[in-house]
Amino acid sequence: MEMVVTANGTALDAPVSPVFGRCPAYVFVDTETMHYEAIENPAISTLRGAGFQAAEFVVERGAQAVVAGSVGPNAFGVLQASGVPVYLSA
């Protein structure tokens, strides 16, 4: 499964970011092999709609699940419509 984690860094052990749309990076992890790729958030500097754009980005990259500190309603709507479950992390 391809999972994406909102992260405060680009390492596999980076802390989970408390926000989805404006997190510094997304860490995409293949849960079977633990191979990962960290990508800086392309929507972090967006004036409006960062959550929506970020959700579209992770869906287009093939995320099958999201782990985040929180997800706003617009991003959640995109993820839900795409069948991508969201798991909240403290």
Side-chain angles (χ1 to χ4, degrees):
M1 169 190 288
E2 183 81 3
M3 176 179 69
V4 66
V5 179
T6 60
N8 283 329
T10 57
L12 186 58
D13 62 350
V16 174
S17 173
V19 294
F20 177 80
R22 296 200 187 273
C23 69
Y26 296 104
V27 178
F28 291 84
V29 181
D30 181 326
T31 59
E32 292 179 21
T33 65
M34 293 308 290
H35 178 269
Y36 75 95
E37 179 181 12
I39 301 173
E40 290 185 15
N41 180 355
I44 195 167
S45 298
T46 303
L47 294 177
R48 290 185 166 183
F52 182 85
Q53 290 181 27
E56 285 186 328
F57 171 73
V58 300
V59 168
E60 288 171 5
R61 295 272 312 163
Q64 296 171 303
V66 171
V67 175
S70 67
V71 176
N74 293 334
F76 185 78
V78 171
L79 296 168
Q80 185 177 37
S82 299
V84 178
V86 175
Y87 302 95
L88 300 180
S89 174

